[in-house]
Amino acid sequence: MEVMVAIVFFVTTATFVLDSQIQTRLLWQTLSETSLTQRQMEEQKLSQTLRDDYDQKWEDISAFGQIEALARPTEF
């Protein structure tokens, strides 16, 4: 009788530990995937803010006229 109680206790404890380990792994996997997804979204937003929506060419800038320096060099 005592052996059966010990076996039931062992099986119950082993089942609880195994279930806890499985839940912990699932939680860790979910957190990891969520973190990765969030990081990818942040990088995508950053790359969109750094990207120009147009192509700028020298002809666009030269349309304003001759480029001159604001400060003239001083003579020694």
Side-chain angles (χ1 to χ4, degrees):
M1 183 69 161
E2 295 150 354
V3 174
M4 296 224 6
V5 172
I7 290 174
V8 168
F9 179 73
F10 175 75
V11 170
T12 305
T13 305
T15 304
F16 175 75
V17 170
L18 184 62
D19 184 52
S20 296
Q21 184 180 14
I22 290 171
Q23 288 180 3
T24 302
R25 285 187 181 188
L26 288 174
L27 178 61
W28 180 258
Q29 182 180 4
T30 303
L31 290 173
S32 177
E33 290 174 357
T34 304
S35 175
L36 180 64
T37 303
Q38 184 178 7
R39 191 177 320 131
Q40 287 174 344
M41 289 174 55
E42 289 174 358
E43 289 176 0
Q44 184 180 15
K45 286 180 185 178
L46 180 63
S47 69
Q48 286 177 354
T49 59
L50 297 177
R51 188 179 323 141
D52 290 334
D53 292 336
Y54 57 89
D55 267 346
Q56 189 172 15
K57 299 179 182 171
W58 179 250
E59 292 83 24
D60 297 337
I61 298 171
S62 64
F64 294 111
Q66 184 69 23
I67 298 175
E68 296 181 14
L70 295 177
R72 305 244 181 229
T74 57
E75 295 181 20
F76 292 101

